[in-house]
Amino acid sequence: MGRAQWKKIWVGSAGNMVEWFDWFVYASFATYFAGAFFPEGNDTAKLMNTAGIFAVGFFMRPVGGWLLGRVADRKGRKTALTLTVTLMSASALLIAIAPTYSVAGYGGAAVLLVARLLQGLSVGGEYAASATYLTEASPPEHRGFASSFQYVSMTAGQILGLGILIILQNTMSSQALHSWGWRIPFIIGALAAAVVFYLRRAMLETEVYEESGDDTPDRLKGTITALLGHKREAFLVIALTMGGTVAYYTYTTYLTKYLSHSAGLPKETATLVSFCALIIFACLQPLAGRLSDRIGRRPLLITFALGSTFLTVPIMTMLRHAGSFWPAFGLSLLALVVITGYTSINACVKAELFPTGVRALGVALPYAIANALFGGTAEYVALWFKDAGMESGFFWYVAGCAAVSLIVYLTMRETRDIDLKRVGAAAGHDAPAPAQVAAR
């Protein structure tokens, strides 16, 4: 790839990293600020309250996917990406200054809720805009490799958040961290988002967007009407996302809490396990993305689904009895290696399904719906099973979602060789019809 393509990938990835840093530090620091916004009571109940607000953010993602996906298809990927990081900066600042329960009662929780709604709006658009941008900004033979940097940057954001948590755990007392130290990462996130806003104002638009040959009329670009012309592809995005998003949030945002509250590991050890495993996970993404450029997307997706369907229950069961760092690290890393088959290429697979005039919306809205229904609720469902005394039921839930996606992966067609400039074009035999993309 040339220097211009690498610059686009860098700018798109840096912004994505900050977006997901702000998104994930909420989950990473929830065990420290849960008591600040709710009255004294059962610790699991407090976590369920904060997890509920975390899930609410996901239900704003379809709105953000629709609104910002429309902006990306009508005004360009650059405009949408600049807008998403502005919203994220504002939301991080709100959380940083939110009053506690002792100061404002449930008013602090209300501020927290508003901030999560803004974050959901932002991330709902960020995912699709960055997935589309990274896919379009790269040569066809490197699309899998380039788009894999979306999850590299997403994971880097989480690693940065966990790194800050580890530093604070080792430099501050537990009392100070619970009292005010948890605000620090949100202040950092707000400032970093402001820097990315400046970078994205100077980013270049993709050639695919500017030179698209698809036949979507200008008045229909980024509209629900245009998306309805690709219903099969939209449902395909929801179905192929279902298993991947549940598994991803299980082994990232929920894992630290599971190791701490169920496996009995100290918070510091649980955080270190996630931190180390995620570093290796991030490094695996470009390798798997490059592999998909050589052998196709379906083999990786099928491998992920098979692994998640049959290994989730034993991995989660053994994690509960891990007892120390190394067994927990090994099992966590195994789980993350399995889901790499999904995370490394899901961005480009979805982008390859739609024509340019509706690509961002086509990725954003179905993906956001799937995340609202499955990804955003994963942690809450896990805690519900735990509170009901049936924690192992959640393991089977994750495996079942992966099994549904496995059926989709087995029946869908390969998307690697699709010409992004000609998807949906009225002329030319290279334009694939919906039936050529997914088999019924």
Side-chain angles (χ1 to χ4, degrees):
M1 292 191 296
R3 185 175 180 179
Q5 281 83 21
W6 276 110
K7 181 178 180 181
K8 290 177 181 178
I9 291 173
W10 155 246
V11 176
S13 298
N16 198 45
M17 180 185 70
V18 173
E19 287 267 354
W20 292 93
F21 167 82
D22 288 336
W23 180 259
F24 280 123
V25 290
Y26 180 98
S28 298
F29 281 81
T31 55
Y32 291 97
F33 67 72
F37 295 102
F38 300 99
E40 291 297 322
N42 182 277
D43 286 343
T44 299
K46 290 180 184 178
L47 282 174
M48 287 182 70
N49 286 330
T50 53
I53 293 179
F54 182 77
V56 165
F58 278 84
F59 285 97
M60 278 299 289
R61 288 175 67 162
V63 179
W66 166 73
L67 179 63
L68 296 168
R70 179 183 175 90
V71 171
D73 285 329
R74 297 179 72 89
K75 303 296 183 182
R77 318 316 187 197
K78 172 185 172 180
T79 300
L81 288 169
T82 303
L83 183 55
T84 60
V85 78
T86 303
L87 292 172
M88 187 58 77
S89 179
S91 64
L93 184 60
L94 277 177
I95 297 176
I97 64 175
T100 63
Y101 181 83
S102 62
V103 173
Y106 284 107
V111 173
L112 195 65
L113 177 61
V114 171
R116 284 299 293 178
L117 292 174
L118 285 177
Q119 284 191 336
L121 192 70
S122 173
V123 172
E126 170 69 23
Y127 174 86
S130 63
T132 302
Y133 187 86
L134 289 172
T135 302
E136 291 181 347
S138 58
E141 66 275 14
H142 296 300
R143 285 204 302 256
F145 174 76
S147 66
S148 71
F149 281 89
Q150 183 182 51
Y151 266 82
V152 172
S153 56
M154 284 174 61
T155 306
Q158 188 172 8
I159 291 171
L160 180 60
L162 287 173
I164 291 174
L165 177 55
I166 291 172
I167 291 172
L168 294 179
Q169 286 173 337
N170 287 277
T171 57
M172 299 179 67
S173 67
S174 177
Q175 181 180 1
L177 194 50
H178 281 85
S179 177
W180 60 270
W182 59 265
R183 298 182 186 272
I184 294 174
F186 296 103
I187 295 172
I188 294 173
L191 295 174
V195 173
V196 171
F197 171 81
Y198 173 78
L199 292 175
R200 283 188 167 178
R201 288 186 63 187
M203 71 191 302
L204 302 173
E205 188 56 83
T206 68
E207 293 180 4
V208 171
Y209 178 79
E210 294 178 334
E211 301 174 6
S212 172
D214 83 271
D215 61 352
T216 306
D218 288 343
R219 63 183 177 81
L220 292 180
K221 287 183 177 179
T223 64
I224 298 296
T225 300
L227 182 59
L228 289 175
H230 303 274
K231 292 188 290 291
R232 184 178 298 174
E233 290 84 350
F235 283 115
L236 182 61
V237 170
I238 293 175
L240 67 86
T241 299
M242 178 181 175
T245 189
V246 170
Y248 178 74
Y249 281 99
T250 296
Y251 293 118
T252 55
T253 60
Y254 178 63
L255 182 65
T256 304
K257 299 180 184 65
Y258 178 71
L259 292 175
S260 176
H261 292 275
S262 296
L265 295 179
K267 288 181 181 178
E268 295 78 7
T269 302
T271 302
L272 186 61
V273 167
S274 293
F275 180 79
C276 295
L278 285 171
I279 289 177
I280 299 176
F281 174 69
C283 295
L284 291 175
Q285 303 309 298
L287 299 177
R290 184 63 179 269
L291 180 63
S292 79
D293 287 327
R294 292 179 177 273
I295 68 173
R297 321 300 188 206
R298 289 181 67 248
L300 272 70
L301 292 172
I302 292 170
T303 300
F304 148 71
L306 284 171
S308 290
T309 299
F310 295 105
L311 294 179
T312 293
V313 174
I315 287 175
M316 294 296 286
T317 301
M318 287 188 289
L319 274 172
R320 187 164 54 192
H321 304 288
S324 61
F325 172 84
W326 286 109
F329 170 73
L331 290 166
S332 300
L333 182 58
L334 174 61
L336 291 173
V337 169
V338 169
I339 67 172
T340 294
Y342 167 80
T343 56
S344 61
I345 59 171
N346 83 96
C348 66
V349 170
K350 294 161 189 171
E352 287 166 344
L353 295 174
F354 298 94
T356 305
V358 73
R359 181 170 294 129
L361 180 63
V363 174
L365 189 55
Y367 173 80
I369 291 173
N371 264 273
L373 294 176
F374 302 105
T377 58
E379 184 177 334
Y380 192 87
V381 171
L383 291 170
W384 182 87
F385 273 110
K386 178 178 174 60
D387 198 49
M390 302 181 297
E391 189 168 37
S392 61
F394 176 68
F395 313 159
W396 290 100
Y397 168 77
V398 176
C401 290
V404 172
S405 288
L406 174 60
I407 296 172
V408 177
Y409 303 151
L410 290 171
T411 56
M412 68 181 287
R413 294 289 184 89
E414 182 57 62
T415 63
R416 179 186 57 177
D417 298 321
I418 289 176
D419 185 349
L420 295 182
K421 292 183 181 180
R422 298 184 60 80
V423 179
H429 62 278
D430 292 331
Q436 292 176 291
V437 176
R440 296 294 285 180

